[in-house]
Amino acid sequence: MELFAGYHGDTGLLLSGTIFRTTTPTLQDADTAYVLRVLEGQDYTRLPKQNITFAAGTYADVIIKEVARRSGMQLDFVSINKNKRFEEEYTAEGHPMEILSSLATETKTSLFYLRGRLTFAFVFAGRNAELFSLTPQTGLIGSPTVASRDDDWQDEDDDDGYGHWSFSCTSILNYHLTTFSRVDVKSKYLTHGMYVINGEHTFNGTEARTEFEGIEN
C-alpha cells in the first residue's frame, strides 16, 4: 500500500508498506468503513533467525550487508558512523532485524524506514538529503521548542553522535518532513538548520499535522 498526501501542486509519498490485517467492514451512515493495519516497508517479521559467525577482524559494515543479503532483505546501506572492527569472532545470532538494530547501536548509526525503504544511515552523512525550508508561510505552526537531549552525551560510550540539543517542531501535514531530511526552520524566535530524526504524521478528522524532532547540523 502506498499513501500519498499533500496540497495542490505539491503531493508526495507519505507511506509505503504492507497490509497485514484488516477489520470487518462496518456501516457508518452511508459509508462502509474498515481499518487497515500496515507495516511500513516489507513485512520482515517472519524471516527465519540467523546464526552466522564472522572471523576476527571483520568490520561492522561487512556483517550488516551479509546479514541483510542472507535474509533476503532490501536494505539501503547509505553510510555508517563508526565502522567498528571486531577484534574477536563475531556471531550474528537471532532475528535479522534484531541483529541489524544491535549493530546500529554499536556503530552509533540509525536503522529506520525512509518512505518504506529499510535504511541504514548516519544522519549527519546526509548532506545530499532532501532540504525543506519550514517557515510560517510554508506550514510551521507555533514556535519550536529547544531541549537538552541527554547529559550523558559527554561520555564517549553514551554519545550517539547527534549532539546536545534537539528541536521539537509542528507543521501542517508535510510529506517532505521525514526521517533523514534536512530542514531550515525559521520562526520569530529561532533560525536553525536541522536533521529530522523522528516524528509522526497525524490526522484527527479535522487537522492534519506533522510533528518531528530535529537535531542541529
Side-chain angles (χ1 to χ4, degrees), residues 16-57:
S16 176
T18 305
I19 299 171
F20 75 98
R21 186 182 304 163
T22 63
T23 61
T24 302
T26 59
L27 190 63
Q28 297 181 0
D29 298 326
D31 298 322
T32 298
Y34 63 101
V35 177
L36 297 177
R37 300 189 183 277
V38 180
L39 287 175
E40 191 165 11
Q42 295 189 39
D43 184 0
Y44 293 134
T45 59
R46 299 180 182 179
L47 287 176
K49 292 183 178 180
Q50 294 288 339
N51 190 325
I52 312 168
T53 298
F54 296 87

